Amino acid sequence: MNVTNPYSVRVRFAPSPTGYLHVGGLRTALYNYLFAKHNGGKFLLRIEDTDQSRKVEGAVENLIATLDWAGVHYDEGPNRDGGHGPYVQSQRLDLYHKYARQLVEQGNAYYCFCTPERLEEVRKKQQAQKLSPKYDGHCRFIPAEEAKRRRESGEMSVVRMKIPDGGETAFEDIIRGRVTIANSILDDQVILKSDGFPTYHLAVVVDDHLMEISHIIRGEEWLPSTPKHVLLYRYFGWDMPQFAHLPLLLNPDKSKLSKRQGDVAVEDYRAKGYFKEALVNFVAFLGWNPGDEREVFTMDELVKEFSLERVGKAGAVFNIEKLDWFQFQHLQKKTDNEMLTLLKGQLKSSGISNTFQDSYLLGVIGAMRERATFVRDFVEKSPYFFTPPLEYDAAVVKKRWKPDSSAKLTKLSEEFSMLSNPTKEDFEAALQRTAEALKIGNGELIHPLRLAVSGLGAGPGLYDILFILGKDETIKRIKTAIEKIQ
Ligand code: GLU
């Protein structure tokens, strides 16, 4: 895209540390990251912790760890100084005070002494008149001298920005085009609270300016706040960054994405075994697409292709089946060596002691990969590769194990025992020979044999299983099955 700002691309992800990284937050972070990397710019992380009542211990560390896991690495931020810090708002209070004072002195803001009780009364009256609640401007015209005296005498106050009486405030949004809002619906927003902390609106504008942010890419829920920010930029006489408000994330029933309909924390998906590649790919497509049929992308490919022009306005549906599809695709893309490491990790966490040769595990990977979405599927869908079947699927026994199956499998077992280092094809040929000798169809051997070696009625190719297990193990399992099933 054409970057019209005088300085280079600098974007930020500015979460409030509420305890975990929401998938919507991951999308915002990712789009900022992709945009920065695509344009050779910088991606900043800024912690917006001005609401002290919502503070959660360990939330920042968790957030950073989760972003790191996802591969969304920031160039500047906490513990990565880029000369624009501190990157935590609670460490920047002096700056907000200074700029709030400047606005008061310029006449763009004022001290408000209204008590919570008075504000509540105003709100009730407005409600009764069916007006939308809004500050009534009671303290707007208190002379500076009087305000000073009252503050010095210890009276509690906040600072409110002045919204112009009439007219409109407009700005350009890269995704939405021109956005215009009547000033009459804007409130004289509190920008500095009585506890000395700024509200989001003042802090975000001051920080985005001082951190030289060129593009503000954030969720649509912040769109109604933007006119207030635009006014603040004007009051300060600062260059305006460009805005891009990302579409809402929706549940499949088109309601706003919520906890009630499923997990929203990135760490939950991580714990369930989703690859970061899959989650990132999936999240990238929640609002963006490359304009053609391609869907499976690595992070590098996303960086190459990403543009804000290809982000839509319409809400994006968070569809778990699609996430699973991406997970499957990315599992297919892993190299054998990557899968080997992952499978070993899975055996460990499943409590299966790994007495297997790498070549054995690679055989399992080859046979099972196309049937697996998650790494745990190797163990859960084909446990028989790691432990001989302890029981046999009752429904399959009923359907496939005939009174003469034992005799037939005994014959087959004899045929197998004459093979030396059999390949897949050797097993197959031996089975065919046995079927011919017994004058029966292959199926009368194949089905009970699969049951005997795996305990199940379905799975990867039977001869693949036999080859992986090897001759001795196959014969042993046939013998055990005959004893146990009869
Ligand atoms: N602190 C806001 C949040 O929690 C940041 C909004 C913005 O990016 O301006 O999402």
Side-chain angles (χ1 to χ4, degrees):
M1 69 156 302
N2 286 330
V3 177
T4 51
N5 275 58
Y7 36 75
S8 55
V9 165
R10 287 174 61 82
V11 292
R12 86 308 192 268
F13 175 49
S16 298
T18 51
Y20 61 88
L21 179 62
H22 191 284
V23 284
L26 176 62
R27 196 223 12 209
T28 302
L30 178 66
Y31 282 18
N32 275 282
Y33 173 83
L34 296 175
F35 183 73
K37 297 296 137 187
H38 182 88
N39 291 294
K42 291 265 188 286
F43 170 58
L44 282 73
L45 175 68
R46 183 174 69 228
I47 303 299
E48 305 212 323
D49 60 345
T50 57
D51 188 350
Q52 292 287 299
S53 64
R54 290 172 67 203
K55 214 170 161 173
V56 176
E57 220 39 66
V60 175
E61 292 72 15
N62 178 52
L63 203 116
I64 292 175
T66 309
L67 283 175
D68 259 345
W69 169 77
V72 181
H73 305 295
Y74 57 91
D75 302 299
E76 288 180 31
N79 306 322
R80 257 167 246 174
D81 190 24
H84 293 75
Y87 297 90
V88 178
Q89 288 188 328
S90 59
Q91 295 167 19
R92 301 170 63 82
L93 298 183
D94 287 350
L95 287 166
Y96 310 129
H97 291 175
K98 174 180 146 198
Y99 286 106
R101 255 195 324 269
Q102 180 185 332
L103 289 179
V104 173
E105 280 159 16
Q106 289 175 186
N108 297 124
Y110 57 93
Y111 291 102
C112 168
F113 299 91
C114 291
T115 59
E117 294 73 31
R118 176 173 188 280
L119 294 174
E120 180 57 24
E121 250 170 57
V122 171
R123 204 180 59 80
K124 275 195 187 139
K125 268 189 207 149
Q126 287 168 338
Q127 251 174 357
Q129 297 174 328
K130 302 240 181 310
L131 296 169
S132 44
K134 200 176 142 182
Y135 182 61
D136 64 353
H138 185 71
C139 293
R140 248 193 184 204
F141 303 103
I142 295 175
E145 275 306 304
E146 183 188 332
K148 185 163 179 257
R149 190 176 38 74
R150 288 171 71 174
R151 288 177 61 236
E152 280 169 1
S153 74
E155 203 175 327
M156 293 277 261
S157 65
V158 299
V159 177
R160 289 182 186 273
M161 68 182 284
K162 263 187 209 166
I163 302 291
D165 279 331
E168 297 169 335
T169 299
F171 59 93
E172 293 296 329
D173 186 283
I174 295 173
I175 295 166
R176 271 145 232 280
R178 193 164 183 76
V179 179
T180 308
I181 292 198
N183 290 334
S184 60
I185 64 164
L186 300 177
D187 207 355
D188 273 5
Q189 179 71 51
V190 173
I191 56 173
L192 198 67
K193 293 178 282 185
S194 56
D195 64 1
F197 277 83
T199 59
Y200 158 67
H201 307 281
L202 176 65
V204 82
V205 168
V206 167
D207 289 349
D208 285 337
H209 171 70
L210 295 179
M211 294 180 183
E212 300 185 68
I213 299 302
S214 61
H215 297 73
I216 294 183
I217 305 168
R218 63 184 168 204
E220 181 179 312
E221 61 272 29
W222 303 102
L223 193 63
S225 300
T226 309
K228 294 173 192 170
H229 305 172
V230 168
L231 286 169
L232 289 174
Y233 278 101
R234 289 202 194 129
Y235 293 162
F236 285 121
W238 292 338
D239 281 342
M240 199 89 66
Q242 295 192 45
F243 293 100
H245 287 91
L246 308 175
L248 289 177
L249 296 188
L250 308 174
N251 292 307
D253 69 0
K254 301 287 158 79
S255 59
K256 198 173 164 207
L257 185 65
S258 68
K259 240 181 190 164
R260 261 175 298 124
Q261 298 207 19
D263 291 320
V264 291
V266 171
E267 57 199 275
D268 292 337
Y269 291 95
R270 181 182 179 182
K272 283 187 181 161
Y274 287 96
F275 293 145
K276 63 179 179 180
E277 294 87 348
L279 193 61
V280 161
N281 196 162
F282 168 68
V283 162
F285 272 74
L286 294 174
W288 171 87
N289 69 71
D292 53 37
E293 298 299 298
R294 289 170 304 153
E295 290 189 277
V296 181
F297 283 79
T298 63
M299 186 70 102
D300 286 345
E301 290 163 348
L302 288 171
V303 166
K304 211 162 140 232
E305 296 281 334
F306 186 80
S307 80
L308 288 173
E309 279 72 20
R310 292 219 56 86
V311 176
K313 273 191 276 225
V317 174
F318 192 94
N319 182 337
I320 290 288
E321 286 87 55
K322 191 72 200 188
L323 171 58
D324 286 353
W325 182 85
F326 277 113
Q327 171 65 21
F328 174 81
Q329 297 298 330
H330 282 277
L331 190 138
Q332 307 312 313
K333 281 180 69 145
K334 296 267 182 207
T335 64
D336 280 348
N337 264 330
E338 287 170 328
M339 281 312 308
L340 189 59
T341 308
L342 289 165
L343 180 53
K344 285 179 180 172
Q346 182 64 48
L347 290 177
K348 201 165 179 188
S349 55
S350 299
I352 298 169
S353 69
N354 182 8
T355 51
F356 308 100
Q357 306 244 321
D358 283 1
S359 56
Y360 182 88
L361 296 178
L362 285 168
V364 176
I365 290 166
M368 283 303 294
R369 190 198 278 266
E370 281 176 27
R371 298 170 176 268
T373 297
F374 296 95
V375 179
R376 64 168 182 276
D377 289 343
F378 287 89
V379 170
E380 288 176 5
K381 290 190 174 169
S382 56
Y384 47 85
F385 282 125
F386 311 106
T387 28
L390 297 172
E391 43 192 59
Y392 302 87
D393 185 324
V396 182
V397 171
K398 194 158 169 238
K399 188 162 170 216
R400 300 296 193 189
W401 195 274
K402 304 286 177 279
D404 55 0
S405 289
S406 295
K408 288 173 185 166
L409 285 188
T410 305
K411 180 86 184 61
L412 178 63
S413 194
E414 283 163 19
E415 193 71 37
F416 282 168
S417 67
M418 285 182 286
L419 304 171
S420 100
N421 282 329
T423 61
K424 234 171 95 164
E425 290 73 23
D426 295 337
F427 276 116
E428 186 170 2
L431 186 136
Q432 261 160 15
R433 277 199 302 278
T434 311
E436 272 162 34
L438 293 172
K439 299 199 169 48
I440 55 172
N442 290 355
E444 287 182 56
L445 292 171
I446 287 176
H447 298 300
L449 176 58
R450 177 186 287 282
L451 183 67
V453 294
S454 74
L456 302 173
L462 176 62
Y463 303 114
D464 287 317
I465 300 180
L466 302 185
F467 176 69
I468 293 165
L469 293 175
K471 179 178 110 175
D472 294 347
E473 182 66 20
T474 298
I475 291 173
K476 204 160 117 193
R477 289 190 184 189
I478 293 173
K479 191 162 169 264
T480 311
I482 290 173
E483 284 163 9
K484 284 200 177 174
I485 299 176
Q486 281 313 15

Coordinates of all heavy atoms in Angstrom, one line a residue, residues 12-17 28 46-49 54 89 200 204 208 216-219 221-222 229, ligand 1:
R12 N 1.4 -0.7 16.3 CA 1.4 -1.2 17.6 C 0.2 -2.1 17.9 O -0.8 -2.0 17.4 CB 1.5 -0.1 18.6 CG 0.3 0.6 19.1 CD -0.7 1.1 18.0 NE -1.7 2.0 18.5 CZ -2.9 1.5 18.9 NH1 -3.3 0.3 18.9 NH2 -3.8 2.4 19.2
F13 N 0.5 -3.1 18.9 CA -0.6 -3.8 19.5 C -0.6 -3.3 20.9 O 0.4 -3.3 21.6 CB -0.3 -5.3 19.4 CG -1.3 -6.2 20.1 CD1 -2.6 -6.0 19.9 CD2 -0.8 -7.2 21.0 CE1 -3.6 -6.8 20.6 CE2 -1.7 -8.0 21.6 CZ -3.1 -7.8 21.4
A14 N -1.8 -2.9 21.4 CA -1.9 -2.2 22.7 C -2.9 -2.9 23.6 O -3.9 -2.3 23.9 CB -2.2 -0.8 22.4
P15 N -2.6 -4.1 24.0 CA -3.6 -4.8 24.8 C -3.7 -4.3 26.3 O -2.7 -3.8 26.8 CB -3.2 -6.2 24.8 CG -1.7 -6.1 24.7 CD -1.4 -4.9 23.8
S16 N -4.8 -4.4 26.9 CA -5.0 -4.3 28.3 C -4.7 -5.7 28.9 O -5.3 -6.6 28.4 CB -6.3 -3.8 28.7 OG -6.6 -2.6 28.1
P17 N -3.9 -5.8 29.9 CA -3.5 -7.1 30.4 C -4.6 -7.6 31.3 O -4.6 -7.4 32.5 CB -2.2 -6.8 31.2 CG -2.3 -5.4 31.6 CD -3.1 -4.7 30.6
T28 N -5.6 -9.0 15.9 CA -5.1 -7.6 15.8 C -3.6 -7.5 15.8 O -2.9 -6.8 15.0 CB -5.6 -6.8 17.0 OG1 -7.1 -6.9 17.0 CG2 -5.2 -5.3 17.0
R46 N 2.6 -2.4 23.3 CA 2.4 -1.4 24.4 C 1.3 -1.9 25.4 O 0.3 -2.4 24.9 CB 1.9 0.0 23.9 CG 1.8 1.0 25.0 CD 1.5 2.4 24.4 NE 0.2 2.5 23.8 CZ -0.1 3.0 22.6 NH1 0.9 3.4 21.9 NH2 -1.3 3.0 22.2
I47 N 1.6 -1.9 26.6 CA 0.7 -2.4 27.6 C -0.2 -1.3 28.2 O 0.4 -0.3 28.7 CB 1.5 -3.1 28.8 CG1 2.4 -4.2 28.3 CG2 0.6 -3.6 29.9 CD1 1.7 -5.4 27.5
E48 N -1.5 -1.4 28.0 CA -2.4 -0.4 28.4 C -3.1 -0.8 29.7 O -4.1 -1.4 29.7 CB -3.4 -0.1 27.3 CG -2.7 0.2 26.0 CD -3.4 1.2 25.1 OE1 -4.7 1.1 25.0 OE2 -2.8 2.0 24.4
D49 N -2.4 -0.4 30.8 CA -2.8 -0.9 32.1 C -3.3 0.3 33.0 O -3.0 0.4 34.1 CB -1.7 -1.6 32.8 CG -0.4 -0.7 33.0 OD1 -0.4 0.3 32.3 OD2 0.5 -1.1 33.7
R54 N -8.7 -3.5 36.8 CA -8.7 -4.7 36.0 C -7.4 -5.4 36.0 O -7.2 -6.4 35.2 CB -9.2 -4.4 34.6 CG -10.7 -3.9 34.5 CD -11.0 -3.4 33.1 NE -10.9 -4.5 32.1 CZ -10.8 -4.2 30.8 NH1 -10.6 -3.0 30.4 NH2 -10.8 -5.2 30.0
Q89 N 1.9 1.8 30.2 CA 1.3 3.1 30.4 C 1.3 3.5 31.9 O 1.5 4.7 32.2 CB -0.2 3.1 29.9 CG -0.2 3.1 28.4 CD -1.6 3.3 27.8 OE1 -2.6 2.8 28.4 NE2 -1.7 3.9 26.7
Y200 N -8.2 5.7 28.7 CA -7.7 5.1 27.5 C -7.5 6.2 26.4 O -6.5 6.3 25.7 CB -8.7 4.1 27.0 CG -8.6 3.7 25.5 CD1 -7.5 3.1 25.0 CD2 -9.7 4.1 24.7 CE1 -7.4 2.8 23.6 CE2 -9.6 3.8 23.3 CZ -8.5 3.2 22.8 OH -8.4 2.9 21.5
V204 N -3.9 6.8 24.8 CA -3.7 6.2 23.5 C -3.2 7.3 22.5 O -2.3 7.0 21.7 CB -5.0 5.5 23.0 CG1 -6.0 6.4 22.4 CG2 -4.6 4.4 22.0
D208 N 0.5 7.1 21.1 CA 0.6 6.8 19.6 C 1.4 8.0 19.0 O 2.2 7.7 18.1 CB -0.7 6.7 19.0 CG -1.4 5.3 19.3 OD1 -0.6 4.4 19.6 OD2 -2.6 5.2 19.2
I216 N -2.9 3.0 12.9 CA -3.5 2.4 14.0 C -4.5 1.4 13.5 O -5.5 1.6 12.8 CB -4.3 3.5 14.8 CG1 -3.3 4.5 15.4 CG2 -5.2 2.8 15.9 CD1 -3.9 5.5 16.3
I217 N -4.1 0.1 13.7 CA -4.8 -1.0 13.2 C -5.4 -1.7 14.4 O -4.7 -2.2 15.3 CB -3.9 -2.0 12.4 CG1 -3.2 -1.3 11.3 CG2 -4.7 -3.2 11.9 CD1 -2.0 -2.1 10.7
R218 N -6.8 -1.7 14.6 CA -7.4 -2.2 15.8 C -8.8 -2.6 15.5 O -9.3 -2.4 14.4 CB -7.3 -1.2 16.9 CG -8.2 0.1 16.6 CD -8.0 1.1 17.7 NE -8.6 2.4 17.3 CZ -8.2 3.6 17.8 NH1 -7.4 3.6 18.8 NH2 -8.8 4.7 17.3
G219 N -9.4 -3.3 16.5 CA -10.8 -3.8 16.3 C -11.8 -2.8 16.1 O -11.7 -1.6 16.6
E221 N -14.5 -2.4 17.5 CA -15.1 -1.9 18.8 C -14.5 -0.5 19.2 O -15.1 0.1 20.0 CB -15.0 -2.9 19.9 CG -13.7 -3.3 20.3 CD -13.1 -4.5 19.5 OE1 -13.5 -4.6 18.3 OE2 -12.3 -5.3 20.1
W222 N -13.4 -0.2 18.6 CA -12.8 1.1 19.0 C -13.2 2.2 18.0 O -12.8 3.4 18.3 CB -11.3 1.0 19.0 CG -10.9 -0.1 20.0 CD1 -10.5 -1.4 19.7 CD2 -10.9 0.0 21.4 NE1 -10.3 -2.1 20.8 CE2 -10.5 -1.3 21.9 CE3 -11.2 1.0 22.3 CZ2 -10.5 -1.6 23.3 CZ3 -11.2 0.7 23.7 CH2 -10.8 -0.6 24.1
H229 N -10.5 10.8 19.6 CA -9.0 10.8 19.4 C -8.6 11.8 18.3 O -7.7 12.6 18.4 CB -8.5 9.4 19.0 CG -8.9 8.4 20.0 ND1 -8.7 7.0 19.8 CD2 -9.5 8.5 21.2 CE1 -9.1 6.4 20.8 NE2 -9.6 7.2 21.7
Ligands
GLU1 N1 -6.1 -1.0 25.2 C1 -7.0 -1.2 24.0 C2 -7.4 -2.7 24.0 O1 -7.4 -3.3 25.1 C3 -6.3 -0.8 22.8 C4 -7.2 -0.2 21.7 C5 -6.4 0.4 20.7 O2 -5.7 -0.3 20.0 O3 -6.4 1.6 20.5 O4 -7.7 -3.3 23.0

